[in-house]
């Protein structure tokens, strides 16, 4: 089982370690080894880190052409390595980069790709992957019965993250990039950083606002709560479409899919499109004035009340408990 290690400027995205844990559970039960594929520039340290998190072997490509993710550089390299070594499966996080890389490599290898998977089993030598369908109302079990490798992207935070073991040892194999710089059409000219924000994809806690916040200023008490809980700020499509908050914060079918430990929905009615993006949250707390709001059917805990009274009270209570 191979796992693609996604990194940005040398820092590994957490979903990659979760994928190693998922791959480890497969090979521990059915044999084989976990191979991590680490691409980048100046990423020699990632190889040993991947071994500590559960990889038995690392295919390490360290080159200037791989410094920033470009599918034109990454996909041919992963494709070439898969053609040479013939892994049974390739796992990767269902992140923005992973969602681009997985189908590109699958098309090049003429195999199947299963996206946004929340559970894995093995049956008759095939990975049986569970993924949500129909906006999360149903789950589908998918399999790639004939073609290899089986390419599977895993929903971030749907699988447990392993604890690193500094005593583990493994093999590191250096591999060459697939393309020279002049063969790669796209160039990365820079990045615009969102300062002071917790990533929605990686957040253990998300506080989200919807139409009920009433306007841009209505997010202020939610922001206070996120700061207290070290949480990410999310929003429903209604709030984004109204121009109250950037699209980057949208959770839902046409936004980001998240799986935090705690999701606090404030002034969100809970349309099925929004539920599609947060249904797999472990604990859902809903705050809404409408007792008939659909979000209450999904939430483990519900507070019927004015969010402008409830949220500040929650923030004060959390501050008291956490101080």
């Amino acid at each position: 089982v191979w796992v693609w290690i996604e990194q940005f400027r040398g820092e590994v995205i957490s979903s990659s370690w979760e994928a190693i844990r998922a791959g480890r559970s497969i090979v521990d039960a059915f044999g084989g080894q976990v191979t991590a594929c680490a691409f980048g520039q100046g990423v020699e340290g990632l190889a040993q880190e991947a071994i500590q998190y559960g990889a038995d072997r690392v295919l390490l490509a360290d080159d200037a052409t791989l410094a920033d993710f470009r599918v034109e550089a990454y996909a041919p390299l992963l494709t070439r390595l898969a053609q040479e070594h013939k892994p049974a499966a390739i796992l990767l996080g269902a992140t923005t980069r992973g969602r681009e890389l997985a189908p590109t490599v699958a098309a090049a290898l003429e195999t199947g790709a299963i996206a946004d998977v929340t559970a894995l089993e093995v049956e008759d030598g095939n990975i049986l992957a569970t993924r949500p369908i129909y906006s999360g109302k149903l789950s589908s079990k998918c399999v790639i019965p004939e073609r290899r490798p089986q390419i599977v992207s895993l929903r971030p935070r749907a699988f447990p993250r392993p604890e690193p073991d500094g005593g583990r040892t493994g093999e590191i194999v250096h591999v060459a990039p697939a393309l020279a710089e002049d063969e790669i059409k796209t160039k990365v000219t820079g990045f615009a950083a969102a300062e002071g924000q917790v990533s929605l994809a990686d957040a253990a806690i998300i506080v989200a606002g919807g139409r009920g916040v009433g306007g841009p200023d209505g997010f202020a008490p939610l922001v206070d709560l996120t700061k207290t809980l070290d949480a990410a700020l999310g929003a429903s499509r209604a709030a984004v479409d109204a121009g109250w908050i950037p699209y980057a914060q949208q959770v839902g079918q046409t936004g980001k899919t998240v799986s935090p430990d705690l999701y606090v929905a404030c002034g969100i009615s809970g349309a099925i499109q929004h539920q599609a993006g947060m249904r797999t949250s472990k604990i859902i707390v809903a705050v809404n004035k409408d007792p008939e709001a659909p979000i209450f059917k999904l939430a483990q805990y519900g507070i019927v009340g004015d969010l402008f009274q409830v949220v500040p009270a929650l923030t004060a209570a959390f501050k008291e408990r956490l101080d």
Side-chain angles (χ1 to χ4, degrees), residues 249-276:
Q249 309 306 121
Q250 183 177 325
V251 173
Q253 191 170 26
T254 54
K256 289 184 172 63
T257 300
V258 298
S259 297
D261 296 331
L262 173 63
Y263 189 90
V264 184
C266 305
I268 295 175
S269 64
I272 192 64
Q273 291 84 356
H274 186 76
Q275 292 187 22

Side-chain angles (χ1 to χ4, degrees), residues 27-70:
V27 302
D28 287 347
F30 300 97
Q33 63 178 3
V34 173
T35 295
C37 300
F39 308 154
Q41 183 181 25
V43 293
E44 187 82 30
L46 296 188
Q48 189 57 47
E49 195 175 1
I51 291 170
Q52 292 176 2
Y53 273 97
D56 301 301
R57 180 179 64 158
V58 181
L59 300 180
L60 177 66
D62 197 318
D63 190 80
T65 60
L66 304 168
D68 297 308
F69 175 82
R70 292 175 289 178

Side-chain angles (χ1 to χ4, degrees), residues 40-148:
Q41 183 181 25
V43 293
E44 187 82 30
L46 296 188
Q48 189 57 47
E49 195 175 1
I51 291 170
Q52 292 176 2
Y53 273 97
D56 301 301
R57 180 179 64 158
V58 181
L59 300 180
L60 177 66
D62 197 318
D63 190 80
T65 60
L66 304 168
D68 297 308
F69 175 82
R70 292 175 289 178
V71 73
E72 296 94 337
Y74 276 55
L77 176 55
L78 188 55
T79 299
R80 187 197 75 200
L81 293 173
Q83 289 169 334
E84 292 173 356
H85 298 276
K86 302 189 182 333
I90 301 176
L91 308 181
L92 63 173
T95 60
T96 301
R97 299 182 184 97
R99 288 170 182 266
E100 185 176 15
L101 184 62
T104 305
V105 173
L109 295 174
E110 298 184 349
T111 188
I114 306 174
D116 202 27
V117 169
T118 57
L120 291 177
E121 306 167 62
V122 176
E123 188 175 277
D124 298 327
N126 297 312
I127 289 178
L128 194 60
T130 301
R131 61 183 305 274
I133 59 173
Y134 296 119
S135 302
K137 290 195 288 186
L138 295 176
S139 293
S140 171
K141 289 194 173 184
C142 306
V143 68
I144 303 171
E146 298 174 357
R147 308 296 293 182
R148 293 293 182 272

